[in-house]
Amino acid sequence: MLIRTPKSSEIKENQVTDEHVYQNRRQLLKSMGFLGASALLTNQHASASSWFGGGDDETFKTSALEFSQPKHFQSEDVLTPEQKIISHNNFYEFGTGKADPVTNSQSFKVDPWSLTIDGLVEKPITLGYDDLYKGFDLEERIYRLRCVEAWSMVVPWIGFSLADLIKKANPLSSAKYVVFDTLYDPEQMPGQRNRFSGGGIDYPYVEGLRLDEAMHPLTLMSVGLYGKTLPPQNGAPIRLVVPWKYGFKSIKSVVRIRLTDKKPTTTWEQLAANEYGFYANVNPQVDHPRWTQASERRITTGGLFSRNRIATQMFNGYPEVATLYTNMDLRKNY
Ligand SMILES: Nc1nc2c(c(=O)[nH]1)N[C@H]1C(S)=C(S)[C@@H](COP(=O)(O)O)O[C@H]1N2
Ligand SMILES: [Mo]
């Protein structure tokens, strides 16, 4: 039996499957016998809930990481529980529902992996799977991440500054922007097989930053969370995290980082440029055309009926990035 999900033409990021709905769906699946007790405990397998017709049988194996905890990246915010971070998110390559990524990505292969840094650089680099963990000083950084759909999480990411990686390639002075590509592999990513399964996105998923944004010390290449390597649903083996921007900028499972002199057109701009701009800085004063951005629902430990609505902060509470945008009209450059 399959749970029907909307056609891709009906799907947009505004379809807020907030945690209520998500929890209710799990309750429903449970009452229909899809979720066993252990699956509920680990929140992992929502098998048979997938509209691709089954989901993965295996569970992806993560492994422990060694990392430091620099004081300036810690936080007083209540952390979002690990089980929620890894079971409720967006990764359209694995389906457009909030539980689809965890359901459909468990057999995703991350080793071997290849990440290339090229374009306007003196020294193009290609990193293999082991290089992602060994070539850098890994840090745990607790970041807020706010989705454009107005929910947010607080995540103990593990990773390194993107600047450290870009510097190794020696950028040319002509480089102005950085373009990121997610893996394109329809065999492994069911959302890439046709327009309907992947939310209308023309894959690969592409994101971009201005070079100075990319070089900002907050901009993180993450290889782990909660002390372990990333699970596939969160972008294994390596993904971007830009904590002052809406979540869609934080591109997952990156295979290429290219320096250019032209502003790229990103995936969400291609889909709806009037709704999802290139900058996508978290800004409570600039609403999405169809909903307010002044507040957000923080996902913490709350259960089925918890309400945890808080005011959204400018730049998601990272005022140190404001200098990147002096003299820019953030209403025009949304
Ligand atoms: N390749 C890829 N990256 C992606 C997405 C996606 O669909 N495909 N979704 C984005 C969106 S909209 C959000 S909110 C975050 C959510 O994932 P996280 O909870 O692991 O940060 O991933 C972002 N990165
Ligand atoms: Mo998002």
Side-chain angles (χ1 to χ4, degrees):
M1 182 177 169
L2 288 173
I3 307 281
R4 213 194 80 83
T5 53
K7 282 187 268 165
S8 71
S9 55
E10 300 161 16
I11 295 170
K12 279 265 157 155
E13 251 227 331
N14 66 314
Q15 288 194 321
V16 181
T17 311
D18 72 7
E19 195 156 72
H20 268 158
V21 179
Y22 163 75
Q23 292 291 1
N24 281 331
R25 184 160 173 257
R26 291 192 67 82
Q27 283 305 117
L28 180 73
L29 291 171
K30 193 188 170 202
S31 69
M32 298 195 311
F34 286 138
L35 297 182
S38 65
L40 259 187
L41 265 182
T42 63
N43 244 350
Q44 292 247 335
H45 287 176
S47 325
S49 73
S50 164
W51 63 307
F52 297 120
D56 289 348
D57 292 332
E58 55 186 275
T59 302
F60 185 87
K61 302 264 185 315
T62 54
S63 38
L65 284 172
E66 274 177 41
F67 53 88
S68 62
Q69 290 172 304
K71 273 211 180 73
H72 51 288
F73 289 127
Q74 304 314 303
S75 164
E76 301 293 300
D77 290 18
V78 177
L79 297 184
T80 302
E82 180 180 5
Q83 290 306 321
K84 293 190 180 179
I85 295 169
I86 68 176
S87 59
H88 172 95
N89 63 11
N90 285 327
F91 197 166
Y92 276 27
E93 285 85 338
F94 292 103
T96 54
K98 295 285 177 284
D100 285 339
V102 66
T103 305
N104 298 315
S105 69
Q106 296 306 298
S107 58
F108 186 60
K109 299 278 177 294
V110 298
D111 184 8
W113 193 260
S114 170
L115 169 60
T116 298
I117 299 90
D118 65 358
L120 298 175
V121 298
E122 223 171 80
K123 226 174 41 165
I125 304 174
T126 296
L127 302 177
Y129 179 77
D130 292 330
D131 304 328
L132 304 178
Y133 307 98
K134 292 191 179 127
F136 302 90
D137 294 326
L138 299 185
E139 295 178 345
E140 181 177 71
R141 301 186 185 180
I142 298 176
Y143 280 172
R144 294 176 288 280
L145 194 72
R146 190 195 185 281
C147 181
V148 73
E149 295 165 277
W151 44 269
S152 62
M153 299 196 188
V154 183
V155 184
W157 300 109
I158 297 165
F160 52 87
S161 286
L162 172 59
D164 293 345
L165 178 55
I166 291 178
K167 280 180 203 152
K168 288 191 185 196
N170 293 350
L172 300 174
S173 58
S174 52
K176 297 284 180 289
Y177 292 91
V178 183
V179 191
F180 305 81
D181 293 347
T182 292
L183 178 70
Y184 181 74
D185 186 354
E187 296 235 326
Q188 293 202 79
M189 294 172 148
Q192 294 178 336
R193 284 179 207 149
N194 62 60
R195 286 237 152 213
F196 300 101
S197 58
I201 288 175
D202 191 9
Y203 291 101
Y205 193 104
V206 174
E207 258 307 333
L209 295 171
R210 228 170 45 196
L211 185 60
D212 58 344
E213 297 177 319
M215 299 302 281
H216 193 280
L218 277 176
T219 305
L220 184 74
M221 291 308 295
S222 172
V223 296
L225 59 82
Y226 267 108
K228 292 160 291 200
T229 54
L230 287 175
Q233 60 271 29
N234 296 95
I238 186 162
R239 52 87 56 88
L240 181 69
V241 184
V242 194
W244 71 93
K245 293 180 182 283
Y246 292 120
F248 66 84
K249 298 295 288 184
S250 290
I251 183 173
K252 295 174 170 175
S253 304
V254 176
V255 293
R256 190 173 182 202
I257 298 176
R258 187 166 43 94
L259 278 71
T260 75
D261 52 2
K262 284 181 205 68
K263 185 148 79 79
T265 304
T266 64
T267 286
W268 284 98
E269 282 183 291
Q270 282 175 44
L271 274 180
N274 62 322
E275 300 188 9
Y276 310 103
F278 177 81
Y279 285 95
N281 292 320
V282 175
N283 188 340
Q285 285 147 33
V286 179
D287 288 339
H288 185 279
R290 289 178 286 132
W291 63 85
T292 175
Q293 295 291 22
S295 65
E296 67 203 53
R297 210 170 54 78
R298 176 62 55 80
I299 298 178
T300 56
T301 52
L304 210 51
F305 298 106
S306 72
R307 283 260 169 255
N308 198 7
R309 196 101 205 160
I310 57 173
T312 291
Q313 301 176 72
M314 187 65 201
F315 297 122
N316 203 23
Y318 298 95
E320 60 267 50
V321 300
T323 53
L324 294 170
Y325 309 104
T326 37
N327 303 323
M328 265 181 73
D329 182 344
L330 296 179
R331 281 186 183 278
K332 286 194 184 128
N333 297 287
Y334 52 88

